Amino acid sequence: MTDLTALLSEVPTGLLIDGDWRDASDNTTFDVTNPATEQHLATVASATSDDALAALDAACAAQTDWARTSPRTRSEILRRAFDLVHDRAETFATLMTLEMGKPLAEARGEVTYGAEYLRWFAEETVRHYGHHTTVPEGTLRMTTRHKPVGPCLLITPWNFPLAMATRKIAPAIAAGCTMVLKPAKLTPLTAQYLAQTMIDAGLPAGVLNVVASASAAQVSAPLLADPRLRKLSFTGSTPVGVNLLKAAADNVLRTSMELGGNAPVIVFEDADIDQAVDGALAAKTRNGGEACTAGNRILVHEAIAAEFTEKFAAKMAALRVGDGMAAGTDIGPMIEAKAVANLQSLVDDAVARGGRVRVGGGPVPGPGFFFAPTVIVDAPREARVLREEIFGPIAPIVTFGSEAEAVVMANDTEFGLASYVFSQDPSRMYRMADGLEFGLMGFNAGVISNAAAPFGGVKQSGMGREGGAEGIAEYSSVQYIGQPDPYAG
Ligand code: NAD
């Protein structure tokens, strides 16, 4: 049995500025609550605008020396951090379950997944090659090299408190950038513990500064207005992302935006139905449905809709809802009461428009913010549940009659992050990939995130890629040097 008081006492609750944990300049704090019990977990310093600027001062002061460190030095810090996160895996996993609610088994999965970004970018750091060639006319030799973009503001959401932070911090370190991280107010503890772990791995003071705040705008507004900041990397909802992009435009900041999703799960008549049911279930219920990659709309060919729906509904009905700390829990609490109310309004809207609830359909009594796994059939195209990001365990199932119709239905959204296709016909893979306007496509797979893969969306799901060989490029500027070719005639 974990001693939670001892565990929480290991987590710094101040602001990390220039290597020191300190109180907010006006001594304000905010509370972090367990969404499964509604009990108080910790009280954390709340950064003011002055604190945010002090964090940027520290990042700017550290930038020149940090950019000059050898790739091997940065790589080994990342690799040590990877090892330390694994050494501390149970603490990280427990913290995530406590502050965010996901079942402990999934939190352990996030530790493995989140740590992989540290290992992947440790490996990428020493292989970030430039280019040397002669221009076509033979008159110049050209060299291209990568330079760090400079101090970055990293803003992360609450749903993957570790992985969304390592996905930004690791490539920024790899490229030689310094940074100010603002974690989500609902889940700052994992990020604070990660920051301490990075220091323990040897990260120099000022390279990573962390400013949690009850008021996100107090941190973001002065930093985005400051010409010393060179980059914004944001993961969160599309409306907040749009406003931050507007603010970033004034300083022509480099931006990476990982925004909302509305993923279709498309099941063809030739799919292995059991594989498709399990894949759709994983895509829908991972992280309680609180994932940008979550299967939002399940589109099933009419020839197999009855069989698919029956099997899928049975599995949804069998999921156990409860405190993520309890053994056997499949679906933890939603992040806050507001989220439960929104899920209920999506169900009510679908029913009012003619949809039918096959499984679940409402909240599970608290304390805690629980919602029953829910399956809705026959919701019309205009139903909010098909148009908005659900962010919870509600699965609307709709039918289609042809591949062309499936593509049109899947693309009928302003979002373009993840999509999933289930079919045993391999020739469909590239045809569907051509037709689908999404940055990611799983083919007979319901979970495809990986540190080695470029993750990111199109349309209003954002721009830029995290992970993969592409991830480090987001934190680098390419510089071209031209010199006369000594042999040019
Ligand atoms: P959110 O947009 O409410 O908040 C995200 C972050 O932005 C938090 O740190 C929050 O404090 C901060 N923020 C909020 N208002 C701000 C402001 N005015 N100025 C500066 N920062 C501000 O999103 P959320 O509810 O934390 O996360 C859920 C959303 O994130 C969903 O839409 C989900 O799809 C998206 N998401 C996307 C990805 C991806 O990779 N595309 C991954 C995870 C989550």
Side-chain angles (χ1 to χ4, degrees):
M1 178 77 187
T2 317
D3 178 346
L4 296 183
T5 310
L7 181 139
L8 287 166
S9 72
E10 287 178 45
V11 180
T13 54
L15 309 171
L16 177 62
I17 299 176
D18 204 15
D20 291 324
W21 292 101
R22 51 169 104 154
D23 292 336
S25 52
D26 63 358
N27 285 315
T28 52
T29 56
F30 64 93
D31 290 332
V32 184
T33 303
N34 180 341
T37 61
E38 301 181 45
Q39 282 172 358
H40 175 263
L41 279 176
T43 298
V44 172
S46 178
T48 62
S49 294
D50 284 346
D51 295 320
L53 286 169
L56 182 61
D57 289 345
C60 292
Q63 180 60 72
T64 303
D65 284 350
W66 178 238
R68 288 184 183 146
T69 54
S70 71
R72 181 68 75 204
T73 301
R74 300 197 298 277
S75 170
E76 287 182 350
I77 290 170
L78 285 169
R79 177 64 209 211
R80 273 198 300 277
F82 167 79
D83 290 335
L84 277 179
V85 168
H86 275 283
D87 291 348
R88 301 173 183 183
E90 269 316 281
T91 305
F92 274 111
T94 307
L95 274 179
M96 278 191 276
T97 296
L98 289 176
E99 67 176 346
M100 184 273 163
K102 67 185 72 190
L104 197 51
E106 284 199 50
R108 290 181 180 129
E110 184 174 342
V111 174
T112 304
Y113 169 57
E116 278 309 319
Y117 286 96
L118 299 167
R119 175 155 71 173
W120 173 261
F121 284 107
E123 294 158 350
E124 288 294 284
T125 309
V126 292
R127 294 184 178 78
H128 195 204
Y129 301 124
H131 190 65
H132 182 82
T133 190
T134 303
V135 299
E137 299 80 1
T139 50
L140 287 173
R141 286 187 176 182
M142 71 180 246
T143 302
T144 61
R145 54 203 288 262
H146 301 290
K147 297 177 73 175
V149 294
C152 304
L153 171 59
L154 315 177
I155 301 181
T156 52
W158 50 264
N159 60 344
F160 291 98
L162 178 67
M164 296 305 100
T166 55
R167 212 157 81 166
K168 297 186 190 305
I169 291 171
I173 289 176
C177 296
T178 59
M179 63 211 99
V180 178
L181 169 69
K182 196 212 77 62
K185 177 181 118 185
L186 294 163
T187 59
L189 303 179
T190 307
Q192 309 260 119
Y193 190 58
L194 173 66
Q196 183 58 50
T197 301
M198 301 303 303
I199 294 171
D200 296 342
L203 197 66
V207 174
L208 169 64
N209 304 277
V210 182
V211 283
S213 181
S215 166
Q218 280 211 36
V219 170
S220 63
L223 297 191
L224 293 174
D226 193 312
R228 295 173 300 166
L229 188 77
R230 294 312 319 141
K231 159 131 195 145
L232 165 67
S233 177
F234 171 78
T235 299
S237 59
T238 297
V240 173
V242 167
N243 282 331
L244 293 175
L245 268 176
K246 287 178 186 162
D250 283 340
N251 269 330
V252 194
L253 284 188
R254 287 277 297 269
T255 54
S256 304
M257 309 301 282
E258 299 283 352
L259 308 177
N262 181 355
V265 178
I266 307 167
V267 184
F268 282 101
E269 67 279 18
D270 58 12
D272 172 331
I273 293 193
D274 292 328
Q275 181 188 52
V277 166
D278 288 343
L281 195 76
K284 176 73 259 178
T285 62
R286 175 175 176 239
N287 222 41
E290 294 175 314
C292 51
T293 50
N296 224 47
R297 300 165 288 154
I298 304 185
L299 316 181
V300 187
H301 191 277
E302 56 206 16
I304 53 152
E307 182 185 352
F308 177 91
T309 303
E310 192 173 323
K311 288 182 165 173
F312 182 80
K315 291 210 168 182
M316 285 287 278
L319 294 173
R320 283 158 301 184
V321 177
D323 188 329
M325 292 298 287
T329 295
D330 297 308
I331 305 279
M334 300 295 98
I335 188 69
E336 51 185 345
K338 211 164 56 178
V340 173
N342 187 50
L343 293 174
Q344 184 66 64
S345 77
L346 292 176
V347 174
D348 293 346
D349 172 79
V351 170
R353 293 175 194 268
R356 287 182 299 121
V357 173
R358 279 282 297 258
V359 172
V364 174
F369 313 123
F370 298 97
F371 200 86
T374 295
V375 178
I376 297 177
V377 294
D378 298 338
R381 179 182 174 277
E382 320 72 61
R384 285 178 50 213
V385 77
L386 295 173
R387 312 221 58 86
E388 298 177 17
E389 188 174 34
I390 298 171
F391 244 57
I394 302 177
I397 300 180
V398 292
T399 60
F400 64 86
S402 67
E403 186 178 296
E405 192 191 359
V407 170
V408 170
M409 286 168 73
N411 288 340
D412 182 20
T413 170
E414 70 273 27
F415 295 110
L417 186 59
S419 59
Y420 306 90
V421 174
F422 290 87
S423 165
Q424 294 200 79
D425 175 359
S427 73
R428 261 202 239 272
M429 190 172 84
Y430 283 109
R431 234 175 25 244
M432 290 302 289
D434 282 346
L436 291 175
E437 298 169 343
F438 292 85
L440 319 171
M441 184 183 96
F443 193 71
N444 293 325
V447 177
I448 59 169
S449 297
N450 190 287
F455 186 103
V458 299
K459 295 162 73 178
Q460 290 195 28
S461 287
M463 59 185 84
R465 292 294 179 267
E466 292 191 319
E470 292 81 354
I472 195 169
E474 300 279 324
Y475 294 88
S476 311
S477 307
V478 176
Q479 186 179 48
Y480 153 57
I481 304 169
Q483 66 182 136
D485 189 299
Y487 303 111

